[in-house]
Each structure stands twice: as structure tokens, then as C-alpha cells.
Amino acid sequence: MRSVSAQDVPLLGDAPLADVIAAMTTEEKARLLVGMGMDADLPGVPGMAPEDAAIPERVPGAAGRTHAVERLGIPSLTLADGPAGVRIAPTRPGDDRTYHATAFPVATLLASSWDLPLVREVGAAFGREARAYGVDVLLAPGMNLHRNPLGGRNFEYYAEDPLLSGRMAAAFVAGVQSEGVGAAVKHFAANNQEFNRMKLNTVVSRRALRELYLRGFEIAVREGAPWTVMSAYNLLNGVHTSESEALLTTILRDEWGFDGFVMTDWFAGSDPVAQVRAGNDVLMPGNPGQTRALVDAVEAGTLSAAALDTAVARVLRVATRTLTFAGHAYDDAPDLAAGARLARRAAAEGMVLLENDGDALPLARGAQLALFGNASYELIVGGTGSGDVNEAYAVPLDAGLADAGYAVDEVLRASYRAYLDAEAAKRPPAPNPLFPSPPIPERAVAADRVADAARTADAAVVVLGRNSGEFADRDRDDFVLSDVERTLLRDVSVAFRAAGRPVVVVLNVAGVVEVADWRDAADAILVAWQPGQEGGHAMADVLSGAVNPSGKLPMTFPVTYADVPSAETFPGRVLPARAGDGGADAFGVPSEVVYDEGLYVGYRYYDAFDVAPAYPFGYGLSYTDFAVEGLTLSADTFGDDLTATVEVTNTGDVAGREVVQLYLAAPEGRLATPAQELRAFAKTDRLAPGASQTLRLTLDARDLASYDPDRAAWVAAAGRYVVRVGTSSRDVRQQAAFTLPRERVVARTHDVLAPAAPVDERAPDRR
Ligand code: BGC
């Protein structure tokens, strides 16, 4: 019942925003910016205010929520992870139904599809599930670069290249937001390792920042217009990203035009006042101490009322766009069957075929298969931590193949099942779902068992598994095969090849593993990544040829870990303890990582430093062949933009899709540039044998430019630019050139975010 005076209260959505803000007390404003907290129950982690803990969660298991100001019609918003599906609790106390969400393939797999419409479609499916569960903002996509193959959260991220990463993120954001749910582009920025993640200072040059670590975010923000951005845990050149005005205001807003709100990563940073001042509007998950600090700072005049109001306005503007604000009546009934169908289709689109000697694949329908490796029977659906999803079921490869009409060696299956069940029974339950138990180790298979299998099966399939997740990076042992895996693969290979049967290796992995020293033992190698809950079906779709693989690597596979440009500097080093902040705690210890490879990350390094990769960026085989012909450029001289046109023809026997990649080699100018950089890509439709399709790839002036830190500007050097069009970074099929007659300053920026001292970057000798 409204009192007479309450009718004069300006309500959000009815009254002008300025009136709503003017009607808020400082305390209400501060509470709006500070989330309702999280019952983390970790030492050193602040808990919730009792009055907030008493308010039931609308969506149990969602990562965070903001405070409502009911008298002004301001709703509490619900924020939920994550990059592989909507992460909420699968069950609720006193309720006997379940609240599952679809586990989609991880971001790395989606990027491997190079299929922007598909990724948009997947984003929309996330949006629909979030909507069905009453979630306002989805805490995805994650889009940090794969700077090093051991990054613990690489699976949540797309690629080693900022263009691929940025385009993927923009497509995903557009999909999510098309359903009325906000996206959160994260973790902004230079958060490329987990090591001491809350106290790690990333030291990186302005040029590498602009061209690599910020570039993907810039594309995602400009093209995808996300409602929110999540700042990162790390410090960037000495300042916490969540406290960096240069990053969150000067670059993100003033330069890129971002108009939503920025939230912290959970418990990130140390100074709430500095965060709000910098343009980090929302502090998550929030605690009452932060609210107090903001109110006190306003009263003391150390935080201006205007800065507080600016942040409040940003949150309110996003709030008015949400489903909760619109009074959306969600029904907790997402279409999980549709989610599963899309998860399966997307997973198959992003698997990458690395080898296929003697046409070992596709496997003849109805064949008898011997499956080796734990992950054949227990799918590694996705990664761990906040990127995990509570899915209703997962389809392992043995079940997927059985459903596709293959006969699976039952003796082998029974023995793996017995082993996996016995090992699982021995383990104590994981203390916290965010810290799951490590995987069950691979076991040896007796030689006579392998020999039996080789006698009866038409082919061997060896699945090698790797998982990873938040809080830790992978280590070098995880990168290579264990002795047991090596022996298993060798024994299977020897026995099956002696019997004239092929050996297929499937990599069900969170990230890159070493392949060069064992690949001779395999006739075919398929990278299935972490394919989501329908993984077994999707793998079977590719292995059977129901889907012709068309995925391409979004990162380089090096020959050995030592070849990785950041092998020595990753993940960083612990700094000598300084008074006051030394000592291990829940947030890690002060550490530093120096990105001394500068621009030379991934293929930019392998190309410029002449290091042969095991498989190059952009690589992936098909069951058919394609011709890429007739490259033409719309002009010989660059004007405002330029279009490259090529024709792709399926010259093989089965239908398939090809990804065409455009790499640009810039002329020698004031700045040394990588030998070539991905500037555009496109994927064909499914082409029948003999069919052709014309693809158009457009470059704009920014695609020609490098970032010149001395001029704080994007500058395109004058001269001859070579356009290389191919089907991987090392399989260039067509080449053409155009000129830019005069140097062009394409965009001026602010000169911000310089490291305290110049980074001593390694440079190739090529120029
Ligand atoms: C992660 C974020 C996640 C948040 C909420 C943090 O630990 O870094 O990616 O969105 O938790 O679960």
C-alpha cells in the first residue's frame, strides 16, 4: 500500500534518472555499487551482512547479486557464470526438481570453429537459458589471450590472436544480449595466468598491450556492445586493473565508447574507493566493509559525490534494460533438449583434425572399436571452477560411438569401468565444487589385453585427457604425456599396426599438449577439446564422418614447451616480501610477470623467430580438399578500406566447409612488425563436392596499423602490403599486394598504462 508521500518518490524507469539518483541517500548509492556478498567460507574472505544473508537468493548458486532499493523501484540483479553455460546450483533445498543447464563446448572449442554465426547462435542459447532461470547478467565471455599453453583458464578463453578472440567475443555477446540478458566481457585485462592471481603484477609494454592484450577487448566492446565488463584480478603495470582509471575510464570509455558498467572480479583489488574513482562501478561479490568505506570517503570528501553518482547512473541504466526490471516471469524451464542439440552441433564444428594418414578416418560404420584411456569412458566435459556447468548428463565417447552404431570392445570397457569406479570410491569427496579432485590417473593395460583387442577390433581409439581450471596453471608435466600414457600409446600402436589396424588418438583436453614426440604412433589425431555434455556424440559424429571436420587451431601447437616464447617467464615469480604484504594467504603473494616477448606471442613469434611449430595457428584437416583461387583485391592503392575476394571450391569427394584466413604483411616502417598478422577470416557454407563459394574479406585502415607508443597513435606505414590468403597461417594459397602511398595516422590515443620502466623485449633479427 502506497502512502501519499510515496507517490512523489521518483521511480526508476518512470522518473528521469537524475531524479532517481537525487532521491537516493549516500548509503543507498554505496549499497547499489557493492554486491550482496557471498558465503564463501574461506579464511580471510569477508562474509555477508546478516540482513543480506536473510534475503533468499532468487537463483541459488548464481555467483552474485546487487542490492535492491525497493522504495525507488530499483531491483536486485542476479549475475551468474559462465563461459561454458549457465552455472547455478542444480538442486535447491526443499525442492525435488532439478535446475540443470546445458554444458556447451568450452570457448577454445568455439573459437576453433572460426564460425561467427554459430558462436552467435550459441550465445543466444546461453541467453535463453539464463533468461529461463531469471539471470540478468551472464558472466561471460572470458577472452584473455592464450599467451602460454599452460594458462590454467585457457579453455575459458578463445585464442592466441586478438582478432579471432575479439570477433568471437563480439558474436557471443550479441547472441546473449539478443535474448535480453547482459553479457560480461572478462577479465579486463592482461589476466593470462592464474599464478598468485590477485597479487600478480603483469608488466607489459604499451605496444603489446594495445596490439594484443587490449585489442580483443576493443573489438568485443566496439562490435558487441556488452552491457558490462569485468575487470581482472591482476595488477597491470603496477596498478590493480580494478583501480586503474587509465584502463577503465580513459581507454574503455573515452576511447572505445563503452557505456555499461564495470564490475570487479570476485574479491579483486584492495581499495574500494580507488576502484569506484577509477570507473569500476560495481564491487563483487561485495561486503559491508566496502559500503562503509565508500560512504565514509564521500563524507570525508576523498570520493566525490559526482564520482559516486556517475557509477550509480551506469548501474541504473543497465538495470533498466534487464529482464528483472521488466518484470519478466521466468519459468525455470529452459529447453534443455534444444541446448543439447546445439551443444552437439557446435562441438563437432570446433573439433580439429590434426592427422589422418591413409584415410584412417572416417571409421567405417558398424566397425568394432577398442577404446583405451580413461576419458573414453568418462568425458572431460569442461574445465573446473567458475567455468564449470551443472549439466544433467554427459555422453562419453563409448556411449556416443555405440549410439552411432559402432561396436565397442566390451571386455576393455568393463575393465576400465571397474578401475574408474574403484578409484572413484577411494577418493574423499571434493571439499568444494570449485576445487574438484584431480583426475584419476591413467593405468597400464596388460600387453595380452592389448593384443586381444588388436585381434578383434577394426581400429583402436586412444583418448588422452587433460583438465584444468581456476586458481592454478597447468605445469610442464601436464603438457607432456605421462610415462603410462606413452607406454599405452606405444603398445596399442605396435599391436594394432601389426594387425593392419589404424590407431586414432582423440585429445579431450583443456589446452595444448605436446604431440610431436608421439604423433608417429597415431594414424589420425583429433582434438576434441572439452566438448560439453554432448561430447561423445559430437566426437562420434566426426569420427564417423557424419560431420566432416572443419575446425582450425586458434593457437599454435609447439614442438616442445621450450619453444614457447614465454616458457621462461610464465607464470611469473614471487617478489621478495615487502613489509606489510608478504606471506601466503587466500589471495596469493605479491608476484610479477614480465611479458618480455612483447608482440611475439603465438604465431607472431614462431613466424618471426623461424621456429617450426608442431601444428601452426589456423591449421586443421578435412575429409575433403579445397582449392582457394582467384584472389582479387578491390584496389591496388588503399583508400578507406579494401576487399579481398577469393573463390573456394570443394575438390574432393565429400561435402565440407573451409576456413579462409587473411594474413597481412606490413611494409617496413618506423616500427618492426610481425611477419604477418591475421586481419580477416571467413568460413564457407557446407559445400557439396565440386561446389564453389566466393568469400569476401574486408580490411579497414586500422587493420594496416601498428601502435606507436612514442606517438600514442595507431599508424599505418607507407608502402607495399602483402595480402596472404590461406587455410592456415603456414598454408598460404594466394597472394596479392596493395600500396598505401603515404603514412597514415589512423587513430590517436591517450598515452597511458606505460610500465614503470621500459620492458626489455626480445626482438627478431629479421629487420
Ligand atoms: C572468476 C570469474 C567469475 C567469478 C564469479 C571468479 O573467481 O575469476 O571469472 O565470474 O569468480 O564466479
Side-chain angles (χ1 to χ4, degrees):
M1 198 180 66
R2 283 186 161 188
S3 69
V4 175
S5 65
Q7 286 174 355
D8 298 331
V9 167
L11 292 178
L12 183 65
D14 291 348
L17 200 60
D19 294 358
V20 178
I21 296 172
M24 293 174 79
T25 64
T26 304
E27 172 92 22
E28 283 172 334
K29 291 175 186 174
R31 278 166 59 82
L32 183 70
L33 303 184
V34 175
M36 286 175 67
M38 179 174 145
D39 200 5
D41 201 18
L42 288 171
V45 173
M48 298 177 75
E51 67 273 18
D52 288 339
I55 301 175
E57 286 176 285
R58 265 190 327 117
V59 188
R65 42 189 182 147
T66 64
H67 283 105
V69 186
E70 271 156 27
R71 68 181 191 92
L72 300 173
I74 301 171
S76 165
L77 306 182
T78 297
L79 293 66
D81 288 305
V86 179
R87 186 173 70 90
I88 59 172
T91 54
R92 297 177 183 178
D95 183 343
D96 57 9
R97 58 150 296 183
T98 53
Y99 298 80
H100 291 294
T102 305
F104 287 95
V106 297
T108 300
L109 182 147
L110 294 176
S112 304
S113 76
W114 296 60
D115 185 342
L116 295 170
L118 173 73
V119 173
R120 191 183 198 284
E121 198 182 336
V122 170
F126 278 59
R128 278 192 296 280
E129 291 193 17
R131 181 187 174 97
Y133 280 132
V135 170
D136 296 298
V137 175
L138 180 83
L139 303 172
M143 54 172 307
N144 297 98
L145 291 190
H146 296 189
R147 170 177 176 254
N148 182 288
L150 302 183
R153 297 181 78 175
N154 280 1
F155 68 94
E156 294 187 55
Y157 305 147
Y158 295 113
E160 72 182 20
D161 177 84
L163 176 80
L164 182 56
S165 191
R167 290 263 155 88
M168 285 289 148
F172 182 84
V173 167
V176 172
Q177 294 188 169
S178 70
E179 295 294 331
V181 172
V185 166
K186 70 188 188 184
H187 310 91
F188 189 53
N191 182 193
N192 310 88
Q193 57 280 306
E194 289 296 281
F195 174 74
N196 285 322
R197 66 181 189 177
M198 294 173 115
K199 289 192 177 165
L200 179 77
N201 181 27
T202 303
V203 180
V204 51
S205 72
R206 282 169 295 171
R207 181 165 178 209
L209 252 184
R210 292 281 185 166
E211 293 194 23
L212 296 182
Y213 301 102
L214 297 182
R215 182 66 185 135
F217 285 99
E218 178 176 11
I219 294 168
V221 166
R222 289 187 193 271
E223 293 180 9
W227 293 7
T228 76
V229 165
M230 187 190 293
S231 52
Y233 282 125
N234 51 287
L235 297 87
L236 175 54
N237 292 334
V239 180
H240 268 291
T241 59
S242 59
E243 297 170 12
S244 170
E245 186 175 355
L247 183 68
L248 304 182
T249 297
T250 310
I251 293 182
L252 179 63
R253 288 171 162 120
D254 299 348
E255 294 184 7
W256 301 349
F258 172 68
D259 67 356
F261 71 72
V262 175
M263 73 184 91
T264 62
D265 199 346
W266 268 231
F267 306 104
S270 56
D271 181 347
V273 176
Q275 289 174 323
V276 172
R277 214 186 274 132
N280 194 119
D281 314 292
V282 173
L283 315 184
M284 291 307 288
N287 68 72
Q290 292 172 317
T291 310
R292 199 63 271 143
L294 294 181
V295 172
D296 289 351
V298 172
E299 283 167 4
T302 51
L303 176 65
S304 71
L308 192 71
D309 286 359
T310 300
V312 166
R314 290 178 184 141
V315 177
L316 293 182
R317 272 196 293 270
V318 169
T320 57
R321 299 162 83 173
T322 59
L323 294 167
T324 297
F325 182 74
H328 168 67
Y330 55 94
D331 56 7
D332 289 325
D335 186 347
L336 295 180
R341 283 193 300 275
L342 179 57
R344 174 175 180 169
R345 179 154 61 85
E349 280 296 313
M351 291 184 187
V352 185
L353 184 64
L354 298 180
E355 297 285 350
N356 195 17
D357 297 343
D359 291 340
L361 294 177
L363 298 166
R365 290 280 182 173
Q368 161 94 21
L369 304 173
L371 306 189
F372 298 89
N374 295 342
S376 308
Y377 305 95
E378 285 189 359
L379 180 72
I380 302 177
V381 175
T384 63
S386 63
D388 191 15
V389 182
N390 293 306
E391 67 276 2
Y393 64 85
V395 181
L397 182 58
D398 62 333
L401 288 169
D403 288 348
Y406 292 94
V408 170
D409 182 322
E410 286 299 337
V411 180
L412 204 50
R413 175 174 30 198
S415 85
Y416 267 100
R417 246 327 353 131
Y419 168 71
L420 291 166
D421 292 345
E423 289 297 306
K426 282 188 219 156
R427 338 180 101 203
N432 177 328
L434 287 176
F435 305 94
S437 324
I440 293 172
E442 209 59 68
R443 55 158 197 164
V445 179
D448 57 344
R449 189 71 272 286
V450 175
D452 283 352
R455 262 192 298 280
T456 50
D458 298 306
V461 180
V462 182
V463 184
L464 300 174
R466 287 290 181 280
N467 208 348
S468 77
E470 234 180 307
F471 310 107
D473 294 303
R474 296 168 58 212
D475 62 26
R476 291 180 188 215
D477 290 342
D478 199 61
F479 186 70
V480 294
L481 299 198
S482 67
D483 291 344
V484 175
E485 288 170 325
R486 223 173 270 280
T487 307
L488 174 68
L489 184 55
R490 195 198 50 222
D491 291 353
V492 169
S493 184
V494 168
F496 276 73
R497 282 179 171 173
R501 312 289 197 207
V503 177
V504 177
V505 173
V506 174
L507 297 175
N508 179 194
V509 292
V512 176
V513 290
E514 192 200 16
V515 287
D517 82 333
W518 56 261
R519 62 182 158 190
D520 288 352
D523 299 292
I525 304 175
L526 179 70
V527 187
W529 299 123
Q530 292 170 311
Q533 68 183 51
E534 283 284 332
H537 284 141
M539 292 172 186
D541 287 341
V542 174
L543 296 174
S544 68
V547 173
N548 186 352
S550 61
K552 302 276 183 174
L553 295 178
M555 81 296 278
T556 309
F557 271 50
V559 171
T560 72
Y561 182 73
D563 285 348
V564 174
S566 53
E568 294 308 319
T569 56
F570 182 89
R573 65 185 182 102
V574 171
L575 291 171
R578 290 183 309 236
D581 59 8
D585 63 20
F587 298 106
V589 295
S591 303
E592 180 179 271
V593 58
V594 180
Y595 289 7
D596 75 353
E597 72 286 353
L599 285 183
Y600 297 99
V601 172
Y603 68 88
R604 288 169 170 78
Y605 170 80
Y606 298 94
D607 290 348
F609 285 70
D610 241 339
V611 178
Y615 298 103
F617 176 79
Y619 170 88
L621 300 175
S622 164
Y623 298 149
T624 186
D625 294 306
F626 295 93
V628 178
E629 294 163 324
L631 173 64
T632 57
L633 303 184
S634 58
D636 298 333
T637 303
F638 192 85
D640 291 332
D641 57 22
L642 184 138
T643 300
T645 307
V646 280
E647 191 165 83
V648 183
T649 305
N650 182 347
T651 56
D653 301 334
V654 290
R657 304 181 69 191
E658 180 60 293
V659 176
V660 168
Q661 305 156 37
L662 187 159
Y663 296 87
L664 192 64
E668 197 169 332
R670 223 178 69 79
L671 300 170
T673 52
Q676 57 172 9
E677 295 182 274
L678 181 73
R679 294 303 192 211
F681 61 90
K683 190 165 187 173
T684 66
D685 301 332
R686 190 164 178 272
L687 298 178
S692 300
Q693 185 177 354
T694 302
L695 296 178
R696 284 184 186 76
L697 302 148
T698 297
L699 301 175
D700 65 18
R702 188 60 188 275
D703 294 319
L704 277 52
S706 298
Y707 186 76
D708 185 342
D710 295 337
R711 293 198 267 176
W714 290 90
V715 182
R720 183 166 182 270
Y721 287 76
V722 179
V723 172
R724 300 178 178 162
V725 170
T727 55
S728 92
S729 61
R730 297 232 166 166
D731 188 1
V732 172
R733 303 286 186 86
Q734 298 267 291
Q735 218 164 280
F738 64 85
T739 39
L740 181 71
R742 266 180 304 283
E743 178 192 89
R744 192 176 299 177
V745 175
V746 176
R748 293 191 191 281
T749 72
H750 299 82
D751 183 12
V752 288
L753 291 182
V759 181
D760 186 15
E761 292 178 347
R762 286 176 287 146
D765 298 324
R766 53 183 282 274
R767 294 228 155 126

